[in-house]
Amino acid sequence: MAEAQESLWGLVEEFVSGQQDSRAAEVAAGVKDGAFTVLQVVEALGSCLASPEPRTRGRGVQLLSQVLLQCYANLKEKEVEVLVVFYENRLKDHHVITPHVLQGLKALSMSVVFPPGLVVSVLKSIFQEVHVQSLMQLDRHTVYRIITSFMNNREEELKSLGADFTFGFIQVMDGEKDPRNLLVAFQIVQNIITKNYALGPFVEELFEVTSCYFPIDFTPPPSDPHGITREDLILGLRAVLASTPRFAEFLLPLLIEKMDSDVQSAKVDALQTLTAACATYEQKELKEFLSGLWSSIRREVFQTASDRVEAEGLAALHALSYCLSRSVLGPDSEDLLDTFLTNILQDCKHHLCEPDMKLVWPSAKLLQAAAGASPRACLKVTSDVLPLLLEQYNQHQQSSHRRTILEMTLGFLKLQSKWLPEDDENGLSRFKDPLCSMVFSAVTDPSSQLHQVAVKTLTVLGAHQGFLSSGDIDLVVDHLTRLILEETDAQSCQAAIESSGSLARVHPAAFTSRMVPQLCSRLQTVPMEGADNPASVVPQHSIWQRCLEALAAVSTHYSIVQETVPILLDYVRQSQKGERSAEDVVTVCKSLHHVAVLCQENAESLCYYHQKVVPCLLSLTIQAAMQDRGDAADLPVLLHDSLLTAMASLIIASTTRLSPELLSSSVSQVVNLFLDGDVSILTENSFTSKFLPFQVDGPAATQSRLVVLLMAYVCALPRNVEIPHLSRLLQDLLSLSLAGCCAFAFTSAAKCFAGLINKCPAGEQLDTILQSASQELTSGLEDESRRTRAVTLLAWPH
């Protein structure tokens, strides 16, 4: 024991007088190892702590603090108590010692056995004895860390200080300039507010000590090692300023001032801070400042050349309207929302009557931003604006003016439609007839640009069940059908197809009875490519493609899928008779793929699609393969690489989301078809010979091309669906991958083999297959005629 004590005294002496900083780590290691205690360290420091030389006393305190920073977790409560008293006394010592004292207090503040009651004593000592502003950055940061530790671990004790704690921290933070310290200080202020520390009479002082940094003007130096960004500081300060309604009377005038400045970044920051503050305010905080806020926002949207400022201005207006909307009104309360919206309408509405002037769109955007905040705001604005827009549409005859008016109407209808399901008395139903009249007029206007807006408006009106009558819906579907079949503008046609897809979900019967038959009829009457009707303004082949795309787009409901899928499959069958080129059938398959993707949203539709499409495609392609006699230059259309690839994609789309139960019942049929030629799964199976896709010699050689369809099916299966005869299937795929078939076939076989290998669980079966594959690959790599196939197979499993 005496030897350890002597060693400790030696280490202390070398640190204090010999300036050997590494001795602090040795002392800390001794404390951790139990060679001596922290209090023994204090005892060993006795002579230097009593030295008349401040720097000598400072070295002694520095040693102790460095030891505590490494050993605070090992301290006992009694040790912490003694050390706290020691450090509090040292705060009254010479100022050169203060930084080391603060390091020690930081270490003690992190101790879980910090004695109750001492937190208040420590902070009072810091507030009274330490002039924080005169400290170096690191030492000021230490003060913030001490406060943060106490706030995290001793909240109730801190709150017992009442407003004195808030005032003390204001004095600590006042004048802080370093970004590293400000980030911590902002977080402390936010915690003071959000965790309900007493602010007492110091609300304005707390606001002033933080708002003096607003807006943040900080550019980090190049290669800044601290990684602090301007955005970090902006968000930290914003969280403080917007955290309490008690700041409103000070913050809102400041925000108006910054909005009116010439600095764009200040405008953006002010508007974003206003938006954030509205989340905590009620109308009583805003009342006095609404007029000034509206004036500033209106000016920024009306006059700004910056899209960013405009966007933030609209967001702030939306937030103000939302804040006023959620305020609970008493029987004698003034409805500030109504007053606020009335002012906005008064300043903006008349500009809507000037569709060719520059303020028409800023006015519409402002009105829509305010209206979109709540049902009440929307009802107030749209009830006032829609009659005006309907009147203006009828008064203006130019298509460009009408388009602007209709686009504005569309914006308000989109907002209003959000509340339709919740409130039947939404104020929109009384405008139904004039709205329909306006939109039906627009959709028949000679202007294709007007058509596009009209179609979008029809989509919004028709998207809600019960708003339009069945007769209106029929008329909507007829207009969309006409645009698809007759519109010369490609964008208008595309808009009609997209609208049909949206509305078919809501009104499937109308599309089944009206659009689908017309599309089908037109498909049947469109002549072959190259035989366009001279009287037609749209090329016949383009109409054929539009019909296919539209049939796919409307396949959003089970009842429609039952109609469209057979129609599309009939066009695949036409290729057997040479009535369609490979490119045309690929187009049909792309439409079928689109239908498959849409069917993934509905289990019933997907089941129907899978059971209808997959057997049909297998039947048609197998028939084509059996008729072929191996002349690569004259492959049947259905056996072209591009077409088989397109079919594979739609098989994958129809399989991926199918339930495991349904897949389990059909996977054995598909596997048996390819392994044994069992055609029971096929809908059209009157074959004169046997299906032998893994036979690469003789008349059946071309059948190997269809392995790509097997690959699409089995590789899309989830892992929980068991594949029958897996070992045999893998062996046949391995053989085909290395056989003398065409590149399309052996590549498909290699992909399928790889996909199945990756699904195989570890075990004896996998080991056997891999051993066999290794032997075959070795042989294939040595054989020049098979080397390309072997390399292909080798690459795919990875």
Side-chain angles (χ1 to χ4, degrees):
M1 180 68 71
E3 184 181 345
Q5 189 72 11
E6 185 177 342
S7 171
L8 173 60
W9 282 73
L11 292 170
V12 168
E13 175 65 23
E14 289 184 35
F15 182 91
V16 174
S17 60
Q19 305 294 314
Q20 297 291 317
D21 289 353
S22 62
R23 296 296 181 257
E26 296 180 44
V27 175
V31 172
K32 287 181 178 179
D33 295 341
F36 29 79
T37 67
V38 169
L39 296 183
Q40 286 175 326
V41 175
V42 176
E43 184 181 350
L45 288 167
S47 59
C48 68
L49 293 176
S51 169
E53 174 56 49
R55 295 196 179 277
T56 301
R57 299 197 301 275
R59 286 292 286 178
V61 176
Q62 181 182 2
L63 171 62
L64 179 60
S65 295
Q66 289 187 13
V67 170
L68 290 177
L69 284 169
Q70 296 187 52
C71 303
Y72 67 87
N74 304 109
L75 294 175
K76 297 181 176 59
E77 183 174 324
K78 187 62 178 177
E79 292 174 320
V80 175
E81 184 176 353
V82 172
L83 289 165
V84 167
V85 174
F86 167 78
Y87 276 115
E88 284 183 342
N89 288 329
R90 289 297 160 180
L91 282 176
K92 301 173 184 178
D93 205 332
H94 196 280
H95 66 85
V96 300
I97 302 174
T98 300
H100 308 309
V101 176
L102 293 173
Q103 287 294 317
L105 287 172
K106 183 177 79 170
L108 294 175
S109 73
M110 295 185 285
S111 171
V112 295
V113 295
F114 200 94
L118 289 187
V119 168
V120 171
S121 176
V122 168
L123 284 183
K124 280 185 174 180
S125 296
I126 292 175
F127 292 159
Q128 291 170 8
E129 304 296 343
V130 181
H131 187 258
V132 177
Q133 287 85 352
S134 65
L135 298 176
M136 300 294 287
Q137 180 273 328
L138 178 61
D139 303 322
R140 301 197 307 274
H141 193 269
T142 301
V143 175
Y144 295 129
R145 285 302 178 192
I146 293 170
I147 295 172
T148 299
S149 290
F150 285 151
M151 292 184 79
N152 290 338
N153 304 318
R154 295 289 190 273
E155 182 178 311
E156 292 307 315
E157 291 182 53
L158 285 188
K159 287 183 176 179
S160 71
L161 273 168
D164 288 345
F165 172 67
T166 301
F167 179 68
F169 179 74
I170 290 171
Q171 290 181 303
V172 167
M173 182 181 174
D174 190 20
E176 182 59 67
K177 291 182 174 60
D178 189 271
R180 293 164 288 181
N181 291 348
L182 284 174
L183 278 180
V184 184
F186 290 158
Q187 185 61 58
I188 291 172
V189 179
Q190 187 183 1
N191 288 339
I192 288 174
I193 294 168
T194 58
K195 295 185 178 181
N196 298 315
Y197 283 76
L199 304 185
F202 305 116
V203 175
E204 185 172 3
E205 287 79 359
L206 188 62
F207 174 80
E208 292 296 339
V209 81
T210 50
S211 64
C212 63
Y213 302 101
F214 183 86
I216 294 291
D217 182 18
F218 167 71
T219 302
S223 305
D224 177 22
H226 308 294
I228 295 175
T229 66
R230 180 171 175 269
E231 188 68 15
D232 293 332
L233 291 167
I234 287 174
L235 294 177
L237 178 56
R238 183 176 301 151
V240 171
L241 298 178
S243 60
T244 174
R246 298 181 69 179
F247 281 170
E249 61 179 304
F250 315 113
L251 177 62
L252 294 176
L254 175 63
L255 296 181
I256 292 172
E257 176 191 336
K258 299 305 178 184
M259 281 186 238
D260 295 347
S261 73
D262 296 326
V263 182
Q264 180 173 322
S265 60
K267 293 177 185 287
V268 170
D269 203 352
L271 290 165
Q272 290 178 335
T273 303
L274 174 59
T275 300
C278 285
T280 59
Y281 289 2
E282 294 184 7
Q283 71 172 22
K284 64 178 181 292
E285 283 81 34
L286 296 172
K287 180 177 181 180
E288 182 183 345
F289 306 98
L290 279 174
S291 177
L293 290 168
W294 162 239
S295 296
S296 295
I297 292 172
R298 178 189 60 202
R299 184 186 59 254
E300 294 311 318
V301 176
F302 274 174
Q303 298 179 6
T304 187
S306 164
D307 291 341
R308 177 83 184 279
V309 173
E310 179 188 276
E312 297 301 341
L314 295 172
L317 181 60
H318 180 92
L320 284 169
S321 182
Y322 178 73
C323 179
L324 296 174
S325 296
R326 71 169 186 267
S327 296
V328 178
L329 298 178
D332 300 321
S333 302
E334 180 185 356
D335 187 355
L336 287 183
L337 175 65
D338 187 77
T339 305
F340 185 58
L341 294 176
T342 298
N343 289 337
I344 297 173
L345 284 162
Q346 181 178 341
D347 289 346
C348 295
K349 191 171 72 169
H350 62 280
H351 292 301
L352 304 185
C353 301
E354 302 166 338
D356 55 345
M357 303 298 285
K358 68 176 184 178
L359 291 183
V360 62
W361 273 115
S363 297
K365 290 176 182 178
L366 286 165
L367 287 165
Q368 289 169 9
S374 69
R376 196 155 62 96
C378 195
L379 178 59
K380 167 76 174 176
V381 174
T382 55
S383 295
D384 212 331
V385 168
L386 280 180
L388 176 66
L389 292 175
L390 290 166
E391 178 185 351
Q392 290 299 309
Y393 184 88
N394 292 325
Q395 288 182 1
H396 288 83
Q397 299 302 316
Q398 289 187 36
S399 294
S400 60
H401 291 172
R402 286 190 159 191
R403 181 188 178 189
T404 299
I405 295 167
L406 188 56
E407 284 180 335
M408 289 190 288
T409 304
L410 173 60
F412 287 105
L413 291 177
K414 284 181 177 178
L415 294 175
Q416 187 71 47
S417 68
K418 292 197 317 185
W419 317 116
L420 272 170
E422 301 174 14
D423 188 1
D424 291 332
E425 300 299 325
N426 56 79
L428 188 60
S429 56
R430 58 195 173 101
F431 301 118
K432 183 182 80 69
D433 290 341
L435 278 171
C436 287
S437 175
M438 176 174 71
V439 181
F440 291 147
S441 165
V443 84
T444 56
D445 190 273
S447 168
S448 59
Q449 298 298 310
L450 192 53
H451 293 170
Q452 295 174 37
V453 187
V455 166
K456 292 176 183 177
T457 310
L458 285 173
T459 307
V460 172
L461 292 176
H464 295 276
Q465 285 278 18
F467 181 71
L468 296 180
S469 68
S470 59
D472 291 330
I473 293 298
D474 287 346
L475 191 54
V476 168
V477 175
D478 289 346
H479 279 303
L480 293 174
T481 305
R482 176 182 56 78
L483 289 174
I484 292 170
L485 296 176
E486 300 177 12
E487 176 61 63
T488 56
D489 180 72
Q491 289 184 321
S492 297
C493 174
Q494 190 60 41
I497 291 174
E498 291 174 4
S499 175
S500 299
S502 298
L503 294 179
R505 300 173 186 274
V506 188
H507 308 285
F511 282 86
T512 303
S513 63
R514 303 185 77 82
M515 179 179 281
V516 172
Q518 288 196 59
L519 295 176
C520 184
S521 173
R522 184 61 68 91
L523 278 170
Q524 293 172 353
T525 58
V526 169
M528 292 296 293
E529 188 174 3
D532 282 341
N533 182 352
S536 175
V537 291
V538 182
Q540 294 297 299
H541 196 257
S542 295
I543 294 177
W544 185 80
Q545 291 176 319
R546 289 182 183 186
C547 290
L548 293 177
E549 188 177 351
L551 284 172
V554 300
S555 300
T556 54
H557 190 277
Y558 179 57
S559 62
I560 304 179
V561 172
Q562 289 177 299
E563 299 291 331
T564 57
V565 165
I567 294 170
L568 293 171
L569 287 176
D570 281 343
Y571 280 87
V572 180
R573 290 190 183 93
Q574 289 181 9
S575 63
Q576 290 178 306
K577 306 171 185 176
E579 297 176 5
R580 290 290 172 191
S581 66
E583 291 77 11
D584 281 352
V585 187
V586 167
T587 301
V588 177
C589 286
K590 287 179 179 178
S591 292
L592 279 168
H593 181 270
H594 187 187
V595 177
V597 172
L598 293 173
C599 286
Q600 290 176 358
E601 300 173 14
N602 179 273
E604 187 179 24
S605 297
L606 188 59
C607 177
Y608 170 83
Y609 181 95
H610 186 83
Q611 294 176 341
K612 185 80 174 177
V613 173
V614 174
C616 178
L617 295 182
L618 289 172
S619 295
L620 294 173
T621 51
I622 290 173
Q623 286 177 3
M626 288 181 171
Q627 293 167 5
D628 181 60
R629 290 297 178 265
D631 185 357
D634 190 28
L635 278 174
V637 166
L638 287 174
L639 300 185
H640 283 212
D641 294 2
S642 59
L643 188 49
L644 289 174
T645 301
M647 289 183 180
S649 294
L650 68 89
I651 288 175
I652 292 171
S654 74
T655 303
T656 359
R657 301 261 183 107
L658 205 63
S659 71
E661 296 77 17
L662 290 171
L663 288 172
S664 296
S665 66
S666 62
V667 62
S668 58
Q669 292 178 301
V670 173
V671 172
N672 288 339
L673 170 65
F674 278 85
L675 286 180
D676 301 318
D678 180 357
V679 295
S680 58
I681 188 178
L682 304 182
T683 52
E684 302 164 32
N685 56 13
S686 54
F687 304 124
T688 55
S689 57
K690 193 170 185 179
F691 179 49
L692 302 169
F694 292 110
Q695 179 178 315
V696 296
D697 300 320
T702 307
Q703 296 175 22
S704 61
R705 301 174 67 82
L706 303 191
V707 169
V708 68
L709 304 183
L710 171 68
M711 175 202 73
Y713 184 87
V714 296
C715 290
L717 295 173
R719 290 181 181 273
N720 58 350
V721 174
E722 183 179 352
I723 300 174
H725 314 302
L726 183 57
S727 295
R728 182 182 163 202
L729 180 59
L730 284 168
Q731 191 59 55
D732 281 356
L733 288 167
L734 177 61
S735 299
L736 184 60
S737 299
L738 298 170
C741 53
C742 68
F744 185 81
F746 75 68
T747 302
S748 299
K751 291 180 183 179
C752 190
F753 180 83
L756 292 178
I757 285 291
N758 289 333
K759 288 176 181 289
C760 277
E764 183 179 349
Q765 183 184 38
L766 179 60
D767 293 341
T768 302
I769 289 296
L770 290 177
Q771 184 178 3
S772 175
S774 178
Q775 293 172 354
E776 293 281 359
L777 280 168
T778 301
S779 172
L781 291 171
E782 293 172 352
D783 182 352
E784 186 175 352
S785 65
R786 297 196 298 161
R787 190 168 298 151
T788 299
R789 298 173 180 81
V791 170
T792 302
L793 178 60
L794 191 61
W796 271 105
H798 301 284

